[in-house]
Amino acid sequence: MIVVQVLNFFNASPREYKCIFTSGATAALKLVGETFPWSSQSTFMYTMENHNSVLGIREYALNGGAAAFSVDVAEVVDHDQPNSGRSAFKIIPHQEQRRSEHRFLKKEATGDTYNLFAFPSECNFSGLRFNLDLVNFMKEDSYEMFESSPHHRGNWMVLIDAAKGSTTAPPDLSKYKADYVVVSFYKLFGYPTGLGALIVRNEAAKLMKKTYFSGGTVAASIADIDFFKRREGAEEYFEDGTISFLSIVSLHHGFKILNALTMPAISRHASSLATYVRNKLLDLRHANGHHVCTLYGLRDSEVLCTKMGPTVSFNLRRPEGSWFGYREVEKLASLSGVQLRTGCFCNPGACAKYLGLSHSDLLSNVEAGHVCWDDCDIMKGKPTGAVRVSFGYMSTFGDARKFLRFIENGFVVLPPVARAIHPVTEDADKAIARYFLKSVTIYPIKSCAGFSVESWPLTRTGLLHDREWLLKSLNGEILTQKKVPDMCYITTLIDLNLEILCVESPRCKEKLQIKLKSDPTISEKEEMKIYSQRYEVQASSDEVDNWFSKAVGQHCTLIRNTGSISHSCPIRDKSPGICRDIATSLNFVNEAQFLLISEESVVDLNNRLRSKLQNGSHEPPTEVTSMRFRPNLVMSGGKPYIEDEWRNLKIGDNYFFIGRLQSLPDDQHDL
């Protein structure tokens, strides 16, 4: 029987506990909040490290007249009973919250007062596992803790959010008799979604006050008078509507796998991978000796934990100490085939605690437009979230190594002696071949034709003036060749000596010349969000706009980047946008400052296209040139697609990192 399997997983006796299936862990928590017997004498106490779905119970508590406050929990040494085998705790409360309209309600009798304490078995932000002795402490010794406080009155009930912790260390309810335990089967098995459970102690189930009833939750009801008879069993009464019985049947297969592997073995396996990754991340140093990673949860001695779960939460720093935005890490991870999660993970208390965000910081960020799930990852020099990797029973050592290589290759600045003249690859033998830089191409106006040079200055934005301008329609849409193919006929050339950008188009009789030196009298600079990044831009004169409107066949304006904004996120509109503190400045590029391709890769692509034609395709033959990909750098030498394996390379005296943005000095160097 599935219910017995669920209860056995938590070592819960069917005579003492019931299993109520819900649509997920959130629905289980909501059920506790809306049915708990709140009163004006009740207290809802919860640890700072709690999921938003637990914090949501606070609304039911406050609306029911109860007080609510968060706490930090620390484990202390019990000098009176040092060998008792039980832990002693120190509860550090935060500010009490109470709705004003409930402050002076009539006091209920103390015996009818019920309080609720909620904590996670494992913090989903940091991976810290809480000591489950907290359950017995709250139920047996809470009076001593609150002796001088009004919160000592009544009976304390305990809720464990085990959605995360159960994946490797489910709480043993024969030892720690919590009143409510929340579980997510999706987190246990990866399937099915939309199914969770509330494991409730029988005594606690009798106290739950439910208002609504549905077809399957009543034994009888009469339509035209106020009468209904509820079912006796907690499962029958609280499972509204048709439960997901097909998903419930599938749980048998999930538990069969876990039982075969055994939970202790799963815990050891996942924890060893996480420990390995933590140690490797802590060892990472930039060339100047500064740490690359800041890990969360390891050094917080005040937080109560027995072990670390298989979760690693961290942020990354540049050599000079500024932060990499977690959205940048997430995007590059996706391109590298690495799955991770970023943000606050719906755990605002732990997020603020570990990132050192004060109430003032949080409110200021919200006023500046920052909301959950947006792309404002750095504000006022501080991260607004973190990067998290988690391991489970299906994770492998290869997964851990792949993730570490991604961090090492993309975010660690190595000393110059470690950068060979040849590209650095995973296989040292592949670096024996000689490589040559065949061409350097500059594209001053995004999506317009570029021009090739023998050498060109490098700046913090990449190649000087590369993609420094773009065309924008009157409705704000960025024009590209995908939308306006005729843009490929607009040719460009920059004369650095004359400081002029020359532009030609077959639709325009006269050549257009634009001065490189910005003219402040033409238009004022303004902030603009383009490609999820904020820029300081300047519009062009009417004469220039009219020329380009004729060249592309529609009204448009030429915009110039005068500087990407890399400080705290200003007040912005409601559309998502990236806002971070980065040392690297960007022009109007899609991914990074440079795009590189090898001639051998293009040759191989053409061979594949010709092979397709020979195999019966009726399409005309297509010959692709390297310029089809609009690269800045074209290389030759080695096998096709060998550039995909490079980690970094050296061209002359310049070093380049593959697959991520690289900061360059303020002064210029020639490539």
Side-chain angles (χ1 to χ4, degrees):
M1 185 178 178
I2 302 298
V3 169
V4 174
Q5 283 185 296
V6 175
L7 293 177
N8 286 343
F9 185 71
F10 294 94
N11 204 13
S13 169
R15 294 188 297 273
E16 192 173 7
Y17 284 91
K18 293 293 185 291
C19 174
I20 302 171
F21 288 109
T22 63
S23 62
T26 295
L29 291 165
K30 181 174 182 288
L31 180 61
V32 174
E34 65 187 8
T35 61
F36 193 82
W38 304 110
S39 71
S40 61
Q41 302 300 302
S42 296
T43 298
F44 175 47
M45 185 173 73
Y46 52 94
T47 57
M48 280 289 288
E49 298 91 341
N50 259 309
H51 195 278
N52 261 329
S53 298
V54 176
L55 300 188
I57 296 176
R58 183 177 61 194
E59 292 301 299
Y60 289 107
L62 294 177
N63 287 337
F69 59 89
S70 61
V71 297
D72 290 312
V73 184
E75 190 168 359
V76 296
V77 177
D78 189 345
H79 296 287
D80 295 330
Q81 295 178 311
N83 300 317
S84 64
R86 293 185 56 183
S87 300
F89 307 102
K90 180 181 180 182
I91 304 295
I92 307 168
H94 290 243
Q95 181 179 351
E96 181 181 313
Q97 309 153 61
R98 191 187 288 272
R99 295 277 157 84
S100 58
E101 60 267 28
H102 297 294
R103 287 183 181 276
F104 304 106
L105 292 179
K106 181 180 178 181
K107 295 183 179 180
E108 290 86 352
T110 301
D112 296 332
T113 299
Y114 294 94
N115 308 302
L116 181 63
F117 173 58
F119 73 98
S121 59
E122 180 182 321
C123 175
N124 74 313
F125 184 97
S126 65
L128 281 170
R129 286 178 178 166
F130 280 74
N131 189 331
L132 295 181
D133 278 336
L134 265 173
V135 176
N136 300 328
F137 174 77
M138 288 301 303
K139 298 183 78 65
E140 299 172 11
D141 301 327
S142 60
Y143 186 88
E144 296 179 6
M145 177 180 63
F146 294 120
E147 185 174 3
S148 59
S149 166
H151 305 296
H152 76 274
R153 65 174 71 91
N155 306 291
W156 277 94
M157 317 288 283
V158 178
L159 181 155
I160 300 178
D161 178 7
K164 174 64 178 72
S166 294
T167 59
T168 52
D172 185 345
L173 297 185
S174 68
K175 296 180 180 179
Y176 312 105
K177 298 184 181 299
D179 299 284
Y180 310 96
V181 177
V182 172
V183 60
S184 168
F185 297 111
Y186 167 71
K187 290 182 173 62
L188 277 177
F189 315 124
Y191 177 90
T193 58
L195 183 65
L198 173 65
I199 299 173
V200 57
R201 205 174 182 189
N202 292 338
E203 290 81 356
K206 295 175 183 178
L207 298 173
M208 297 169 71
K209 300 177 180 179
K210 185 184 177 188
T211 302
Y212 175 78
F213 69 85
S214 59
T217 62
V218 291
S221 64
I222 300 178
D224 56 349
I225 64 172
D226 183 11
F227 172 83
F228 77 93
K229 178 178 175 59
R230 59 171 286 179
R231 291 189 180 275
E232 296 299 326
E235 310 99 314
E236 299 173 316
Y237 188 56
F238 289 105
E239 291 175 351
D240 288 316
T242 302
I243 59 177
S244 183
F245 54 87
L246 293 179
S247 296
I248 292 174
V249 170
S250 70
L251 298 182
H252 168 75
H253 303 284
F255 282 116
K256 184 177 180 181
I257 293 174
L258 297 187
N259 292 334
L261 296 174
T262 74
M263 292 309 296
I266 291 174
S267 181
R268 288 193 301 270
H269 170 73
S271 296
S272 65
L273 291 177
T275 300
Y276 170 73
V277 168
R278 285 191 200 98
N279 292 337
K280 289 295 184 181
L281 290 178
L282 287 173
D283 288 340
L284 291 179
R285 299 286 195 282
H286 289 297
N288 60 5
H290 291 174
H291 283 277
V292 176
C293 295
T294 297
L295 272 68
Y296 301 115
L298 283 178
R299 295 184 174 88
D300 197 334
S301 59
E302 292 300 316
V303 176
L304 174 65
C305 66
T306 54
K307 294 180 180 179
M308 293 293 293
T311 296
V312 184
S313 180
F314 62 94
N315 271 310
L316 301 171
R317 287 184 182 270
R318 294 182 174 83
E320 80 284 359
S322 65
W323 298 97
F324 285 101
Y326 57 77
R327 288 296 189 198
E328 181 179 349
V329 179
E330 180 182 27
K331 190 170 185 180
L332 292 174
S334 179
L335 294 173
S336 301
V338 174
Q339 301 300 315
L340 46 75
R341 188 176 173 187
T342 62
C344 277
F345 323 121
C346 298
N347 196 324
C351 188
K353 183 174 183 175
Y354 291 118
L355 299 181
L357 299 174
S358 64
H359 290 165
S360 176
D361 292 329
L362 297 173
L363 293 174
S364 175
N365 291 347
V366 172
E367 291 172 358
H370 175 48
V371 295
C372 295
W373 303 346
D374 71 5
D375 291 326
C376 286
D377 48 14
I378 303 291
M379 301 185 74
K380 296 182 180 178
K382 294 182 178 181
T384 60
V387 182
R388 186 187 75 184
V389 291
S390 302
F391 298 94
Y393 68 87
M394 290 181 285
S395 302
T396 66
F397 180 74
D399 296 332
R401 279 303 309 153
K402 182 177 181 179
F403 164 72
L404 290 170
R405 283 196 298 269
F406 161 69
I407 297 296
E408 292 164 356
N409 297 343
F411 300 95
V412 182
V413 177
L414 300 174
V417 294
R419 298 189 180 105
I421 294 178
H422 297 294
V424 178
T425 67
E426 294 298 324
D427 187 349
D429 293 335
K430 296 179 181 179
I432 297 175
R434 299 187 64 189
Y435 301 91
F436 302 90
L437 177 63
K438 298 299 294 288
S439 68
V440 179
T441 305
I442 318 300
Y443 304 90
I445 304 175
K446 187 173 180 65
S447 279
C448 293
F451 62 95
S452 296
V453 295
E454 291 294 326
S455 64
W456 197 255
L458 287 173
T459 69
R460 290 185 63 177
T461 60
L463 292 165
L464 180 64
H465 300 306
D466 183 62
R467 296 174 174 88
E468 191 166 305
W469 291 264
L470 61 73
L471 293 175
K472 186 181 70 168
S473 67
L474 295 185
N475 63 6
E477 184 181 31
I478 305 303
L479 301 185
T480 63
Q481 284 190 25
K482 293 180 180 178
K483 302 168 185 175
V484 187
D486 285 349
M487 291 181 69
C488 68
Y489 299 119
I490 300 176
T491 61
T492 59
L493 179 67
I494 289 179
D495 190 325
L496 293 177
N497 294 325
L498 298 178
E499 296 186 335
I500 289 177
L501 166 62
C502 299
V503 190
E504 294 185 75
S505 169
R507 290 188 174 185
C508 302
K509 295 181 179 180
E510 296 181 356
K511 181 188 298 184
L512 179 65
Q513 293 188 345
I514 302 173
K515 294 181 180 180
L516 297 180
K517 187 175 181 180
S518 179
D519 187 356
T521 63
I522 295 178
S523 66
E524 295 182 354
K525 295 180 180 180
E526 60 177 320
E527 292 184 14
M528 182 177 295
K529 185 172 62 181
I530 302 172
Y531 300 124
S532 299
Q533 172 125 355
R534 288 192 174 275
Y535 294 88
E536 186 176 75
V537 301
Q538 185 177 29
S540 301
S541 65
D542 292 339
E543 178 185 359
V544 171
D545 291 343
N546 291 335
W547 190 95
F548 278 101
S549 297
K550 185 177 180 180
V552 301
Q554 62 176 281
H555 292 291
C556 64
T557 182
L558 183 70
I559 300 296
R560 183 179 187 181
N561 175 31
T562 59
S564 58
I565 299 172
S566 58
H567 47 76
S568 61
C569 183
I571 296 177
R572 57 178 180 80
D573 56 29
K574 295 182 180 180
S575 59
I578 294 177
C579 179
R580 58 170 68 99
D581 291 349
I582 57 175
T584 302
S585 298
L586 298 176
N587 278 334
F588 301 126
V589 296
N590 290 342
E591 295 292 340
Q593 298 160 315
F594 308 92
L595 179 62
L596 178 146
I597 195 170
S598 72
E599 289 183 334
E600 286 72 16
S601 300
V602 178
V603 170
D604 181 78
L605 175 61
N606 283 314
N607 290 337
R608 292 169 183 261
L609 293 174
R610 281 191 290 271
S611 176
K612 180 179 179 182
L613 182 65
Q614 294 172 359
N615 290 334
S617 174
H618 299 290
E619 298 178 3
T622 302
E623 189 70 20
V624 178
T625 68
S626 59
M627 290 298 105
R628 181 73 173 267
F629 300 94
R630 298 176 62 79
N632 295 113
L633 310 174
V634 179
M635 315 292 292
S636 69
K639 297 191 301 184
Y641 316 111
I642 189 66
E643 62 270 26
D644 292 342
E645 302 178 19
W646 295 349
R647 296 185 305 187
N648 50 65
L649 70 155
K650 177 183 177 183
I651 303 176
D653 294 325
N654 299 286
Y655 295 91
F656 298 81
F657 279 69
I658 303 297
R660 59 170 288 263
L661 305 177
Q662 166 65 7
S663 300
L664 292 169
D666 290 328
D667 54 341
Q668 297 180 0
H669 297 269
D670 283 351
L671 180 65

